[in-house]
C-alpha cells in the first residue's frame, strides 16, 4: 500500500502561513496583549454536548489518569486571567474528534484571546480589526445581525417562539433527513448551518448576536431588547459563508458554571455521547475571582484558507489529518 508522505500544503503556502502568523503576533504586540502557552492535555475536557473530545490514559505522579486533549485553550487561559495575567492571546493546537472537511480538521490552530474589562461590543470591533490586519485588505463593510432576525428573514420562523413541530418540519425539508426526535437546538443548528450560514459574510463581514440562551455555552446571558427573553451574550463572525470567530461576554459565576457542567453532562448522557470530566480547577479559579471581560476564539486555519484563496484548510496545513 502506498503511503503519501508529502505535505498537504505547498512549501510556498507554508511560507505565506508563517507571514500571516507574524501579522497576528504584531497585531497583539502593538496592543500590549501577552502571548501565552498552555497545556494541550488537561484533567478536564469540554462538556459541551456539541463537541467531541479526545482523551488518553497517561502515567502521572498520581498514577494512571485520564487526560483530555483540549478542544480550545479556554479553561487554562481563564485560570491565567484569575491569576492576574491581564489581556492574553494564544495560538493553540486544539483537537475535536470527527471534524474533518473543507473547513475542519481533527487537529487545528485556534487563535484565542481575552480582554478583561472589554465589553462585547469592544471585542467585536477588535475582532474585525484583527481580521482586516491579517487579510491585509478590506473584506467589506461590517454588518451586525440578530440571530432572531436572520431566521425570520430567511425562513419566516421565530427561533424562540415557533412551535417545535414547525422547526422540525422545516429542518426535515432543508436537511432532507428525519428530525422527528430532534430538540429545538438541533433543529436550529441544522437550519442555521444549511439555510442561513452560506449567505452570511457575502460582500462584507457579518456579526451575528443574541443567540438563544440555550446556546450560551460559557457566556453570560442578557435580555432580548424586543421582548425581554433571555439570550446569550455572544457573537459569531462570518466571512464568505464561513464561521470564523465565536466570542463571549465571559461567565464568571462559579455556581452557574458548575451547574452548566452538570447540565451539559446530563445532555451528553441523553444523547449517548459519554460524559466528559469537568474542569474543577476552572471552578477553583472562578471562586478565587476571574475579572469580568470578553473573550473570542477564531479558527486561524480557516482565516488563512480564505486569505490565500484556498478551497480547504488542508491546503494551508503542513499535514492535515488524513495524511498526518
Amino acid at each position: 500500500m502506498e503511503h503519501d508522505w508529502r505535505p498537504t500544503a505547498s512549501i510556498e503556502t507554508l511560507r505565506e502561513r508563517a507571514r500571516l502568523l507574524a501579522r497576528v503576533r504584531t497585531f497583539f504586540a502593538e496592543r500590549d496583549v501577552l502571548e501565552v502557552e498552555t497545556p494541550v492535555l488537561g484533567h478536564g475536557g469540554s462538556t459541551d454536548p456539541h463537541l467531541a473530545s479526545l482523551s488518553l490514559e497517561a502515567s502521572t505522579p498520581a498514577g494512571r489518569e485520564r487526560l483530555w486533549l483540549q478542544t480550545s485553550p479556554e479553561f487554562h487561559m481563564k485560570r491565567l486571567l484569575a491569576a492576574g495575567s491581564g489581556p492574553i492571546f494564544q495560538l493553540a493546537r486544539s483537537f475535536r474528534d470527527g471534524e474533518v472537511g473543507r473547513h475542519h480538521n481533527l487537529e487545528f490552530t485556534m487563535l484565542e484571546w481575552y480582554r478583561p474589562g472589554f465589553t462585547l461590543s469592544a471585542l467585536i470591533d477588535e475582532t474585525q480589526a484583527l481580521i482586516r490586519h491579517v487579510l491585509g485588505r478590506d473584506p467589506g463593510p461590517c454588518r451586525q445581525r440578530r440571530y432572531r432576525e436572520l431566521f425570520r428573514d430567511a425562513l419566516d420562523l421565530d427561533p424562540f417562539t415557533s412551535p417545535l413541530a414547525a422547526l422540525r418540519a422545516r429542518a426535515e425539508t432543508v436537511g432532507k433527513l428525519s428530525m422527528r426526535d430532534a430538540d429545538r437546538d438541533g433543529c436550529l443548528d441544522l437550519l442555521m448551518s444549511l439555510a442561513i450560514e452560506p449567505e452570511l459574510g457575502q460582500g462584507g463581514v457579518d456579526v451575528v448576536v443574541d443567540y438563544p440562551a440555550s446556546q450560551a455555552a460559557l457566556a453570560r446571558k442578557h435580555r432580548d431588547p424586543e421582548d425581554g427573553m433571555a439570550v446569550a451574550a455572544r457573537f459569531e463572525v462570518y466571512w464568505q459563508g464561513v464561521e470564523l470567530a465565536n466570542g463571549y461576554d465571559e461567565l464568571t459565576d462559579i455556581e452557574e458554571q458548575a451547574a452548566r457542567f452538570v447540565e451539559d453532562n446530563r445532555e451528553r448522557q441523553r444523547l449517548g455521547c459519554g460524559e466528559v470530566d469537568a474542569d474543577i480547577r476552572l471552578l477553583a479559579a472562578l471562586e478565587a475571582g476571574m475579572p469580568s471581560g470578553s473573550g473570542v476564539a477564531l479558527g486561524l486555519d480557516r482565516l488563512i484558507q480564505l486569505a490565500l484563496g484556498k478551497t480547504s484548510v488542508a491546503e494551508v496545513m503542513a499535514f492535515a489529518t488524513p495524511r498526518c
Side-chain angles (χ1 to χ4, degrees), residues 146-148 157-162 167 184 188 210-213 224 227 229-232:
R146 294 172 61 232
Y147 184 93
R148 198 173 196 175
L157 290 169
D158 189 311
F160 298 161
T161 62
S162 291
L167 294 176
R184 179 172 289 270
L188 295 178
D210 294 342
Y211 281 75
D224 188 302
D227 55 14
M229 293 187 70
V231 292

Side-chain angles (χ1 to χ4, degrees), residues 45-48 74-75 78 216-220 248-265 278-287 290:
S46 174
T47 59
D48 188 330
E74 179 172 3
F75 294 168
K78 286 183 172 179
L218 301 181
R220 295 177 189 264
Y248 300 144
D249 181 353
E250 298 295 343
L251 181 63
T252 58
D253 185 292
I254 179 177
E255 292 184 2
E256 186 172 353
Q257 181 63 79
R260 290 194 193 182
F261 279 157
V262 171
E263 183 55 38
D264 280 351
N265 269 323
D279 193 327
I280 58 174
R281 289 180 175 85
L282 172 63
L283 297 180
L286 295 180
E287 186 173 32
M290 189 182 91

Side-chain angles (χ1 to χ4, degrees), residues 88-100:
I88 52 177
F89 83 98
Q90 181 169 187
L91 296 167
R93 303 304 292 176
S94 302
F95 303 82
R96 296 181 183 180
D97 195 13
E99 297 198 5
V100 177

Side-chain angles (χ1 to χ4, degrees), residues 151-202:
F151 274 79
R152 286 171 170 169
D153 290 348
L155 299 165
D156 198 27
L157 290 169
D158 189 311
F160 298 161
T161 62
S162 291
L164 179 56
L167 294 176
R168 284 173 172 166
R170 184 60 65 86
E172 285 194 353
T173 300
V174 171
K176 296 180 174 56
L177 73 166
S178 174
M179 299 293 287
R180 180 177 56 189
D181 298 322
D183 61 12
R184 179 172 289 270
D185 277 335
C187 294
L188 295 178
D189 286 346
L190 183 145
L191 291 170
M192 182 71 173
S193 63
L194 295 183
I196 296 175
E197 285 185 354
E199 302 305 317
L200 293 175
Q202 305 295 348

Side-chain angles (χ1 to χ4, degrees), residues 14-31:
L14 294 179
R15 290 193 180 99
E16 287 296 296
R17 179 187 178 99
R19 180 179 61 82
L20 296 180
L21 289 176
R23 280 192 181 180
V24 170
R25 289 189 163 99
T26 298
F27 179 88
F28 288 111
E30 290 174 348
R31 288 160 176 78

Side-chain angles (χ1 to χ4, degrees), residues 11-300:
I11 300 303
E12 182 54 38
T13 296
L14 294 179
R15 290 193 180 99
E16 287 296 296
R17 179 187 178 99
R19 180 179 61 82
L20 296 180
L21 289 176
R23 280 192 181 180
V24 170
R25 289 189 163 99
T26 298
F27 179 88
F28 288 111
E30 290 174 348
R31 288 160 176 78
D32 198 25
V33 179
L34 176 68
E35 181 173 7
V36 298
E37 293 180 304
T38 59
V40 167
L41 292 172
H43 283 89
S46 174
T47 59
D48 188 330
H50 303 292
L51 296 180
S53 295
L54 291 164
S55 65
L56 54 82
E57 285 194 359
S59 295
T60 74
R64 294 292 291 178
E65 291 189 281
R66 179 174 297 280
L67 298 175
W68 297 89
L69 287 161
Q70 300 298 287
T71 58
S72 93
E74 179 172 3
F75 294 168
H76 289 105
M77 292 182 77
K78 286 183 172 179
R79 287 163 60 185
L80 289 176
L81 292 169
S85 66
I88 52 177
F89 83 98
Q90 181 169 187
L91 296 167
R93 303 304 292 176
S94 302
F95 303 82
R96 296 181 183 180
D97 195 13
E99 297 198 5
V100 177
R102 282 185 61 213
H103 304 305
H104 298 83
N105 196 65
L106 188 147
E107 178 182 1
F108 60 99
T109 300
M110 183 83 84
L111 167 60
E112 195 152 329
W113 74 97
Y114 291 87
R115 283 293 212 160
F118 260 40
T119 64
L120 207 60
S121 178
L123 189 60
I124 289 172
D125 290 343
E126 186 167 71
T127 303
Q128 294 176 54
L130 179 280
I131 290 170
R132 292 170 189 274
H133 182 81
V134 172
L135 291 176
R137 63 182 187 274
D138 184 4
C142 181
R143 303 163 298 225
Q144 194 162 130
R145 303 291 303 278
R146 294 172 61 232
Y147 184 93
R148 198 173 196 175
E149 177 186 70
L150 290 171
F151 274 79
R152 286 171 170 169
D153 290 348
L155 299 165
D156 198 27
L157 290 169
D158 189 311
F160 298 161
T161 62
S162 291
L164 179 56
L167 294 176
R168 284 173 172 166
R170 184 60 65 86
E172 285 194 353
T173 300
V174 171
K176 296 180 174 56
L177 73 166
S178 174
M179 299 293 287
R180 180 177 56 189
D181 298 322
D183 61 12
R184 179 172 289 270
D185 277 335
C187 294
L188 295 178
D189 286 346
L190 183 145
L191 291 170
M192 182 71 173
S193 63
L194 295 183
I196 296 175
E197 285 185 354
E199 302 305 317
L200 293 175
Q202 305 295 348
V205 177
D206 281 328
V207 180
V208 181
V209 298
D210 294 342
Y211 281 75
S214 57
Q215 299 179 26
L218 301 181
R220 295 177 189 264
K221 299 175 185 176
H222 64 90
R223 297 292 171 183
D224 188 302
E226 181 176 322
D227 55 14
M229 293 187 70
V231 292
R234 62 177 283 207
F235 67 88
E236 291 195 359
V237 179
Y238 291 85
W239 187 49
Q240 296 185 13
V242 178
E243 178 201 337
L244 290 178
N246 189 5
Y248 300 144
D249 181 353
E250 298 295 343
L251 181 63
T252 58
D253 185 292
I254 179 177
E255 292 184 2
E256 186 172 353
Q257 181 63 79
R260 290 194 193 182
F261 279 157
V262 171
E263 183 55 38
D264 280 351
N265 269 323
R266 283 184 185 146
E267 180 65 8
R268 294 184 71 88
Q269 284 186 317
R270 187 187 73 79
L271 296 171
C273 54
E275 290 191 25
V276 172
D277 295 329
D279 193 327
I280 58 174
R281 289 180 175 85
L282 172 63
L283 297 180
L286 295 180
E287 186 173 32
M290 189 182 91
S292 296
S294 297
V296 60
L298 184 147
L300 193 60

Side-chain angles (χ1 to χ4, degrees), residues 301-324:
D301 304 301
R302 293 181 182 183
L303 181 57
I304 293 172
Q305 173 197 339
L306 296 180
L308 300 182
K310 304 299 184 181
T311 59
S312 72
V313 291
E315 294 178 79
V316 299
M317 295 176 168
F319 299 99
T321 297
R323 208 179 291 180
C324 61

